[in-house]
Amino acid sequence: MTTATEAPSHDEKGHIDPAAAVVTAATVPVQTRSERFRSFDPEAFERPTGREVNWKHTPVARLARLFDAADPQTDGVTVTVSPTTDAAASARGDVFRPEDLPSAIAWAQSPEAVSVVVDGEHEVPIRVDLVGTGGRATAHVVIEARPHSRATVLLDHTGTAEFAENVEIVVRDGADLTVVALHRWADDAVHAASHQARVDRDAHLRHIVVSFGGGLVRVNPSVELAGAGAVGELYGLAFADAGQHLESQVYLHHKGGHTSGDVLYKAALQGDTARTVWVGDVLIGPDAVGTDSYEANRNLVLTSGARADSIPNLEIETGDIVGAGHASATGRFDEEQLFYLQARGIPEAEARRLVVIGFLAEIVQKIGVPDLEEQLTAAIEAELAGEDAR
């Protein structure tokens, strides 16, 4: 998206001033996440070409149907919430503002939001099962954690579809909410998701994105720490195989005072043309005094031909902070770790498996649900076994 420009200047005889035309015809590209254009109207967005700052790492041709507002929605995804609740979540739009074309289309084509309300304390995770049955589909999910409530909400994506999804998260004062978005799509699935959250005073949100399946999965989590003392933890895990494109563009906005944030995304890549993209933007606003924030991205490339793009960005608008920083690293196996394990009698293949499991386990263990952690560990094992089979 670019800024609007004025018409070129004319002199008193009506001639165009060439110098003025050059200046005014120039467009100024959006450089930071906070400047991105937002609108509920799909017609307000231009169709992405792949040259835009927020699309230049994405194979936009594979998302073609999700850019078509005239393409009617189908019943390509069924959504089930368990356990259900009689209470209704906040009306959609309390937090959410579409910032790209697929999210604006999903807004327009999903007037009835899927409602998830957290009231009190839930020991068992609330499940939102999204099962793709083929075709094109959209959905808008609203998750509201009432004041001082506590729960884990699991968004589990399976099957296949061309799916544009909005997830709107409201964490009220003193609430403690964990949201896990798990992507176990079939190989031909295409999924573009926009997650937007607001965390109020003394509330805590742990947001985790786990991507294993799907041909193209693009998840953009955006979290605003609005209330004083709010805490945001944004974690991600991806395992990309040949032909897969797994992407996350993360935005953490420290708005309230004395907020803290921790962002850590990890990815493992195996097979030719396996691709991951991570863009991390952190904004510490002018009123966010006492902020403590850190973001990092780590990528482990297991085979030649795989590619991981990693772009951390940090913007600070106040000098009164506790600390802020970012880091990024992409590399192959640590030969010292392999040597250490092999020196103790562990075969090379098993040593490599242990290194990968240990690398990704840090994210898995942050979920805090033992059954789900076991499932994800088994899924990582299956991914590694698939590589061995090839």
Side-chain angles (χ1 to χ4, degrees), residues 18 64 79-80 129 142-143 149 254 288 292 307 315 339 380 385:
V79 185
T80 306
D129 290 295
V142 178
I143 303 171
S149 62
H254 292 267
D292 191 4
R307 173 179 171 180
E315 186 178 1
F339 177 80
I380 296 171

Coordinates of all heavy atoms in Angstrom, one line a residue, residues 18 64 79-80 129 142-143 149 254 288 292 307 315 339 380 385:
P18 N 8.0 20.0 -14.6 CA 8.6 18.7 -14.5 C 9.1 18.3 -13.2 O 9.0 17.2 -12.8 CB 9.6 18.7 -15.6 CG 9.2 19.9 -16.5 CD 8.6 20.9 -15.6
A64 N -4.4 -17.0 -5.3 CA -5.2 -16.2 -6.3 C -6.7 -16.2 -5.9 O -7.3 -15.2 -5.9 CB -5.0 -16.8 -7.7
V79 N -16.7 -25.9 11.1 CA -16.2 -25.4 12.4 C -17.0 -25.9 13.5 O -18.2 -25.7 13.6 CB -16.1 -23.8 12.4 CG1 -15.4 -23.4 13.7 CG2 -15.4 -23.3 11.2
T80 N -16.3 -26.5 14.5 CA -17.0 -27.1 15.7 C -16.3 -26.6 16.9 O -15.0 -26.7 17.0 CB -17.0 -28.6 15.6 OG1 -17.6 -29.1 14.4 CG2 -17.8 -29.2 16.8
D129 N -12.4 -27.0 16.2 CA -11.9 -27.9 15.1 C -12.4 -27.3 13.8 O -13.6 -27.1 13.5 CB -12.5 -29.3 15.3 CG -11.8 -30.0 16.5 OD1 -10.6 -30.3 16.4 OD2 -12.5 -30.3 17.4
V142 N -14.1 -15.2 17.1 CA -13.9 -14.3 18.2 C -13.7 -15.1 19.5 O -14.5 -15.9 19.9 CB -15.1 -13.3 18.3 CG1 -14.8 -12.4 19.5 CG2 -15.3 -12.5 17.0
I143 N -12.5 -14.8 20.1 CA -12.2 -15.5 21.4 C -12.1 -14.4 22.4 O -11.3 -13.5 22.3 CB -10.9 -16.2 21.3 CG1 -10.9 -17.3 20.2 CG2 -10.6 -16.9 22.6 CD1 -9.6 -17.9 19.9
S149 N -10.3 -14.7 34.1 CA -10.5 -16.1 33.6 C -9.2 -16.7 33.2 O -8.2 -16.0 33.0 CB -11.5 -16.1 32.5 OG -11.0 -15.4 31.3
H254 N 3.7 -2.7 22.0 CA 3.7 -2.3 23.4 C 3.1 -0.9 23.5 O 3.7 0.1 23.1 CB 5.1 -2.3 24.0 CG 5.8 -3.6 24.1 ND1 5.7 -4.3 25.2 CD2 6.5 -4.3 23.2 CE1 6.4 -5.5 25.1 NE2 6.9 -5.5 23.8
A288 N 4.7 3.6 26.4 CA 5.0 2.3 26.9 C 6.3 2.3 27.8 O 7.3 1.6 27.5 CB 5.2 1.3 25.8
D292 N 9.7 -4.2 28.7 CA 10.8 -5.2 28.6 C 10.4 -6.1 27.4 O 9.3 -6.8 27.5 CB 11.0 -6.0 29.8 CG 12.2 -6.9 29.8 OD1 13.0 -6.8 28.8 OD2 12.4 -7.6 30.8
R307 N 15.1 -23.1 2.1 CA 15.4 -21.7 2.3 C 14.6 -21.1 3.5 O 13.4 -21.3 3.5 CB 15.2 -20.9 1.1 CG 15.3 -19.4 1.2 CD 15.1 -18.7 -0.1 NE 15.0 -17.3 0.1 CZ 14.8 -16.4 -0.9 NH1 14.7 -16.8 -2.2 NH2 14.8 -15.1 -0.7
E315 N 11.2 -1.1 16.7 CA 10.9 0.4 16.6 C 10.6 0.8 18.1 O 9.7 0.3 18.7 CB 9.8 0.7 15.7 CG 9.5 2.1 15.5 CD 8.4 2.4 14.5 OE1 7.8 1.4 14.0 OE2 8.1 3.5 14.2
F339 N 29.0 -34.3 17.1 CA 30.3 -35.0 17.5 C 30.1 -35.5 19.0 O 30.5 -36.6 19.3 CB 31.5 -34.1 17.4 CG 32.7 -34.7 17.9 CD1 33.5 -35.6 17.1 CD2 33.2 -34.4 19.1 CE1 34.6 -36.1 17.6 CE2 34.4 -34.9 19.6 CZ 35.1 -35.8 18.8
I380 N 6.5 -34.3 15.1 CA 7.9 -34.0 14.7 C 8.7 -35.3 14.4 O 9.4 -35.4 13.4 CB 8.6 -33.3 15.9 CG1 8.0 -31.9 16.1 CG2 10.1 -33.1 15.5 CD1 8.5 -31.2 17.3
A385 N 10.9 -39.1 10.3 CA 10.8 -40.4 9.7 C 10.5 -40.3 8.2 O 11.1 -41.1 7.4 CB 9.7 -41.2 10.4

